[in-house]
Amino acid sequence: MAELLEDIRRRAEATPRLVAVRLGEEVVSYGALHESITSYEAVMDRHGMSQEAAFHAGLMHCVPALTQIEGVAERNRVTSEIVAWLGRGIDGGEGRHLRAVS
């Protein structure tokens, strides 16, 4: 998770308006995603929670359509696809294919 958060930070600094996540009609830039995660990190830290919790809270904040997905299993599947998409460049990203999350 630390590598993913670092990659998001780097991309937010270099190209803040580049699309990080698209879910249906919702589009989130790296800049907005990083800002949201950073703001939740402060809250999570105060309550002894992890960076991963801050990531998921920041993602839900930026992509409220995730909360409208019926069923926990389906919401987790879509969230996992988003995480895989965001992390596609980490560790070389070999064997991964570009795909859109809908």
Side-chain angles (χ1 to χ4, degrees):
M1 182 57 62
E3 289 178 333
L4 178 61
L5 293 173
E6 180 60 23
D7 188 59
I8 292 169
R9 183 195 62 75
R10 280 193 309 267
R11 290 174 186 262
E13 288 177 357
T15 53
R17 292 192 282 180
L18 182 66
V19 174
V21 176
R22 181 184 309 262
L23 182 63
E25 297 296 316
E26 293 183 18
V27 177
V28 180
S29 69
Y30 278 100
L33 181 58
H34 175 66
E35 183 179 319
S36 182
I37 293 168
T38 300
S39 68
Y40 278 101
E41 281 177 340
V43 173
M44 298 303 169
D45 190 47
R46 264 186 268 137
H47 296 282
M49 299 173 77
S50 69
Q51 284 185 320
E52 187 169 346
F55 168 79
H56 286 286
L59 183 62
M60 296 295 260
H61 176 84
C62 288
V63 188
L66 283 169
T67 64
Q68 297 170 1
I69 295 173
E70 293 292 326
V72 173
E74 181 63 10
R75 188 170 37 253
N76 287 343
R77 184 192 67 75
V78 171
T79 301
S80 292
E81 285 188 14
I82 291 171
V83 171
W85 172 256
L86 289 170
R88 69 194 178 279
I90 299 172
D91 294 327
E94 295 164 284
R96 297 183 185 195
H97 303 282
L98 296 179
R99 58 193 161 136
V101 177
S102 59

